[in-house]
Amino acid sequence: MTDTPPITDLSDRAQRLLRTLVESYIREGQPVGSRTLSRTAGLDLSAASIRNVMADLEEMGLVSSPHTSAGRIPTAAGYRLFVDSLLEVKPLDSREVQTLRERLSPELETKALVESASGLLSAVTQMAGMVRVPRREHASLRQIEFMKLSERRVLVILVMNKNEVQNRILELDRDYSAGELQQMANYLNDRVVGRDLASVRQQLLREMKAVREHMNSLMLAAIELGEQAVAADQGADDVVLAGQFHLLDYAELTSVEKLRQLFEAFNEKREILGLLDQCIHAQGVQIFIGQESGHRILDDCSVVTAPYEVGGHVVGVLGVIGPTRMPYDRVIPIVDITARLLGAALNSRL
Amino acid sequence: MTDTPPITDLSDRAQRLLRTLVESYIREGQPVGSRTLSRTAGLDLSAASIRNVMADLEEMGLVSSPHTSAGRIPTAAGYRLFVDSLLEVKPLDSREVQTLRERLSPELETKALVESASGLLSAVTQMAGMVRVPRREHASLRQIEFMKLSERRVLVILVMNKNEVQNRILELDRDYSAGELQQMANYLNDRVVGRDLASVRQQLLREMKAVREHMNSLMLAAIELGEQAVAADQGADDVVLAGQFHLLDYAELTSVEKLRQLFEAFNEKREILGLLDQCIHAQGVQIFIGQESGHRILDDCSVVTAPYEVGGHVVGVLGVIGPTRMPYDRVIPIVDITARLLGAALNSRL
DNA sequence: ATTTGGCACTCTCAAGCCGCGAGTGCCAAG
DNA sequence: CTTGGCACTCGCGGCTTGAGAGTGCCAAAT
């Protein structure tokens, strides 16, 4: 009963010391000794007393020493406790929020908006930023049009909202006249407009089965064409990274081999995509410290993510990757606010 | 007369030795001593004799020794001479060409094609690949259509070729009916289709001045709208990079600070863009060794580029960035062929 | 019972030293 | 002109050493 929430095991003093230690290590990047703690923790204890506490903390697996006579550094568990119970999150000052808001203008088109968000995350935190591009399942469809390109090729135009238009080129099974295409578009517009892509797709599939016999072939073709048009959300399996190079600044990641692997992973994106997708259903900011993310390559890193919403649905995730000793008190609100602002920007153009 | 083409100053023997030295250094990455050269150059000379030649080469600034008792390594000038006069370019074997050709299928849309090219360059050479996206000035226009989105917003669709469609959203000064938009489109299609963007733009500007008075206002509006539509080739100022992480493998670039700057430059792209633009008018493969590129960040790198053409016009440049000791004999034909294949792929879908 | 000063101990890190190996330059003999 | 020989230089890995930082533990003090 006393070991699952280790916080109850910890005296105020131990908590205070752990907190000071973590803060100091995050700031300086160097092991913290008892002497330093006795000076900075404001507890008016001698170094010797502090050493006793540190020995306890070490036994609990919250801190460790790189070698006998270095100070202590937090372990992953130490960071975890720190983040969960000891951290005081600094609210961003309104000037910073204002800057973020300006750079995430609803006027931008989706891609630019996402790139801007990723760039901002990296610039503001001095770490790597990442944004999972928004899923479109719940984006509602405003209008659908066909445009004949050549005999069997037709351009499908899906108008999503004020600032976003998608188009796809489809290969048809036979030649349709411009008039036929217009009819098909009208037919589809009648029954899909204002609905979201996912439900449109479902409905089209349903209708296709239901009316196959007693329906004229043009309608059937229309449905099929519509289905094809809204089917694959191509390119949606993507994530936009920015500022990876910032990670070169952190000495603790300096094993060239590790760095290489990390950058290779950034290049491939697959792993990052998996990471982000796995926390798309979490509520609010989520933090993975060290191995918690489950991805080997990120063992020495921490990841802070937050989902963002449009129209009440989570449509994507964004976050940053940095060293485990990142300034969580700043990073957490930044990621949080950026997610809200990105959501808001996407939302306000529906 | 004897100093501009230093090749005439060099005895056959010296050339042979320089060549062997450069090849060996490119392969091994380590200073080459006289002993090694005497064994590998196939000249049947003792190490002592070779030392004499090496002293000459050093005096000419073609090689240098990192310290008294290491072997010699090529200087930038040495690489230059090697590349200009001593290099035997290996033709790619047809299997490799075939692979490249398959991955650069004309079926892909422009963006995918460019990304594929960049990825291939990096994967095949194990260095960083880069592709300047094609300019569209000379891309001919097939069709132009307008689609009304809301009162004053209209979607302009520019059909460029079989696999490429551009669209832009324009804000209008007044409300046009769907019929008016159709008329405008017809008017524009009559006079622009099949011409390239640049000349279309010029013509529209000319007509705008010429007919301002005795023309009905709809035509004038059509011209203005058309002008706006083809005006800015947005997003064309771009370059697609790939495989930057490969550069982490080369020990000679291992000063973390330099690497950081390099990756920062990759991130910003501006500098890379400048580099590529500066060699867009060169014919065929161009090589910058060390400082020759004029960009500080690339002092320890070499750059190999080649422009690619569509319809007889150069529309872009591609290339690779790697260490000065890159295997030029392989890299040069790879860059060359990739440029040709990319051009061909873009061309065959006009 | 907790806190503290003291002390012995451990370990890293930087500096210095040493000998090896690789390579050079030069010279005199071939 | 070429070559073997020889003295010399220099970087590198290994070893030692001393300083500094920090720990753990104990006995005395509060």
Side-chain angles (χ1 to χ4, degrees), chain A residues 174-316:
Chain A
R174 72 166 174 87
D175 190 13
Y176 289 85
S177 75
E180 283 176 313
L181 287 174
Q182 187 58 54
Q183 276 185 57
M184 285 156 73
N186 291 342
Y187 174 79
L188 290 173
N189 273 319
D190 277 351
R191 57 200 64 209
V192 306
V193 167
R195 317 269 305 267
D196 69 50
L197 277 184
S199 76
V200 164
R201 194 170 176 211
Q202 274 174 28
Q203 176 178 344
L204 289 180
L205 286 171
R206 242 181 293 126
E207 289 196 20
M208 217 156 106
K209 281 184 193 157
V211 305
R212 179 152 275 159
E213 294 90 23
H214 59 286
M215 192 146 211
N216 83 48
S217 69
L218 193 58
M219 293 305 156
L220 192 55
I223 293 175
E224 264 173 17
L225 192 48
E227 218 287 305
Q228 276 185 59
V230 297
D233 199 355
Q234 84 246 38
D237 263 356
D238 205 9
V239 53
V240 174
L241 298 169
Q244 297 96 311
F245 67 91
H246 278 128
L247 301 187
L248 289 169
D249 287 347
Y250 299 97
E252 56 266 54
L253 307 176
T254 296
S255 141
V256 185
E257 186 43 33
K258 289 225 169 179
L259 265 179
R260 205 211 113 108
Q261 286 180 12
L262 193 55
F263 276 79
E264 200 164 344
F266 284 147
N267 205 58
E268 298 230 12
K269 292 188 177 177
R270 246 183 325 107
E271 201 123 9
I272 306 292
L273 200 63
L275 173 66
L276 287 178
D277 278 350
Q278 102 190 31
C279 50
I280 200 163
H281 291 302
Q283 292 227 333
V285 175
Q286 210 171 1
I287 303 171
F288 299 95
I289 296 165
Q291 314 189 337
E292 290 175 3
S293 70
H295 296 257
R296 274 274 175 74
I297 326 163
L298 297 176
D299 275 2
D300 304 323
C301 296
S302 280
V303 180
V304 178
T305 67
Y308 59 94
E309 303 185 353
V310 176
H313 293 95
V314 170
V315 296

Side-chain angles (χ1 to χ4, degrees), chain B residues 55-267:
Chain B
D56 296 348
L57 289 178
E58 182 150 15
E59 204 167 345
M60 287 187 252
L62 297 172
V63 300
S64 71
S65 28
H67 56 86
T68 341
S69 103
R72 303 298 210 298
I73 63 176
T75 61
Y79 281 120
R80 173 51 63 196
L81 178 57
F82 172 77
V83 166
D84 288 344
S85 322
L86 309 175
L87 182 66
E88 279 171 23
V89 171
K90 278 189 204 156
L92 292 188
D93 81 35
S94 58
R95 207 170 37 76
E96 288 181 298
V97 178
Q98 193 49 36
T99 315
L100 288 178
R101 199 188 303 277
E102 279 162 19
R103 302 289 205 90
L104 293 172
S105 152
E107 294 309 310
L108 297 170
E109 52 177 329
T110 306
K111 202 178 155 234
L113 205 47
V114 163
E115 280 170 5
S116 181
S118 189
L120 280 171
L121 283 171
S122 106
V124 175
T125 62
Q126 298 285 301
M127 306 190 291
M130 52 190 180
V131 180
R132 180 78 167 87
V133 301
R135 290 187 314 186
R136 290 187 178 121
E137 286 164 27
H138 295 289
S140 74
L141 206 51
R142 280 209 179 181
Q143 197 175 345
I144 181 168
E145 295 294 339
F146 299 125
M147 204 177 119
K148 198 168 167 178
L149 291 180
S150 64
E151 273 222 350
R152 300 216 174 161
R153 298 168 74 88
V154 59
L155 177 69
V156 184
I157 300 153
L158 303 172
V159 181
M160 307 301 293
N161 61 46
K162 280 211 305 199
N163 287 313
E164 197 181 352
V165 174
Q166 283 187 56
N167 42 26
R168 301 170 190 180
I169 293 170
L170 294 183
E171 207 80 43
L172 301 184
D173 53 338
R174 72 164 174 87
D175 190 14
Y176 290 85
S177 74
E180 284 176 312
L181 288 174
Q182 187 59 52
Q183 276 185 58
M184 285 156 72
N186 291 342
Y187 173 81
L188 290 173
N189 273 318
D190 278 351
R191 58 200 63 209
V192 305
V193 167
R195 318 264 308 266
D196 68 52
L197 277 184
S199 77
V200 165
R201 192 168 180 214
Q202 274 174 30
Q203 178 180 341
L204 289 180
L205 287 171
R206 240 181 295 125
E207 289 196 20
M208 219 157 105
K209 281 182 192 158
V211 304
R212 179 151 276 159
E213 293 89 21
H214 58 285
M215 190 146 213
N216 83 48
S217 69
L218 193 58
M219 294 304 157
L220 192 57
I223 293 175
E224 264 173 16
L225 192 48
E227 218 288 305
Q228 276 184 58
V230 298
D233 199 354
Q234 84 245 38
D237 264 355
D238 204 10
V239 54
V240 175
L241 298 169
Q244 297 97 311
F245 68 90
H246 278 127
L247 301 187
L248 289 169
D249 287 345
Y250 298 96
E252 55 266 55
L253 308 176
T254 297
S255 142
V256 185
E257 185 43 35
K258 289 225 169 178
L259 265 179
R260 204 211 113 109
Q261 286 180 13
L262 193 55
F263 276 79
E264 200 164 344
F266 284 146
N267 205 58

Side-chain angles (χ1 to χ4, degrees), chain A residues 13 44-46 48-49 51-52 66-69:
Chain A
R13 170 181 299 178
D44 208 29
L45 283 179
S46 79
S49 313
R51 285 202 278 278
N52 291 323
H67 55 85
T68 341
S69 100

Side-chain angles (χ1 to χ4, degrees), chain A residues 10-11 13-14 17 33-35 37-38 45-60 63 72:
Chain A
L10 247 52
S11 64
R13 170 181 299 178
L17 284 173
S34 53
R35 231 184 123 75
L37 276 178
S38 114
L45 283 179
S46 79
S49 313
I50 286 172
R51 285 202 278 278
N52 291 323
V53 183
M54 298 313 281
D56 296 348
L57 290 178
E58 181 150 15
E59 204 167 344
M60 288 186 249
V63 300
R72 303 298 209 298

